[in-house]
Amino acid sequence: SGAASGVGGSRDQDVEIVRTPALDTLTEGDFKDLASLGSKRPTVAGMLGENDPGAVGEMRQVSPRPKSALAPPGPHDQVTTLRVRLDAGEKPLLLKMRFADTVGELARAVARHLKISTDDFELRTAFPNRSYTDVSESLEAAGLVPNATLMLRKF
């Protein structure tokens, strides 16, 4: 496990990154690029040269955006980012999983990382207020794509 600061924006707190098969499909550079985009995403005005006085009144050829600023290709298209909030004072978990992975696989990844049993907790969302108990339901069918924040409630 590793920690990352500011994943997704400056107001986020540190997170624990949980190793999953989907995360392994991302290269280290891809993950850093996706996590660090935050407020550094290119703007349309900047790409069109609207802030460049020499570009006023003329159309310019716009060069392609850097690869890291584009939607990730291939296996990345079907990867969801899940944040699991724990008890107060504990770092949230960040998981990258495939849309087709199941709620059971999510629970097992969380349990393995926290070194607890899947019988010791449930995963919930605040809105909609729902508990995810059908271990065979895909993350996509459960509505946990393209990203979601869940809360871990211990029994």
Side-chain angles (χ1 to χ4, degrees), residues 74-94:
H76 308 268
D77 289 342
Q78 297 296 310
V79 174
T80 182
T81 301
L82 303 168
R83 179 182 295 263
V84 178
R85 293 185 183 204
L86 306 175
D87 293 331
E90 293 185 65
K91 292 179 182 179
L93 305 179
L94 185 70

Side-chain angles (χ1 to χ4, degrees), residues 130-145:
R130 179 177 172 197
S131 176
Y132 296 87
T133 56
D134 181 354
V135 295
S136 64
E137 186 175 30
S138 75
L139 298 177
E140 185 171 25
L144 299 174
V145 297

Side-chain angles (χ1 to χ4, degrees), residues 13-34:
Q13 51 190 307
D14 289 344
V15 296
E16 287 288 325
I17 298 172
V18 178
R19 195 139 192 93
T20 62
L23 178 61
D24 292 339
T25 66
L26 300 172
T27 66
E28 185 176 324
D30 288 338
F31 185 72
K32 286 180 183 174
D33 289 344
L34 290 173

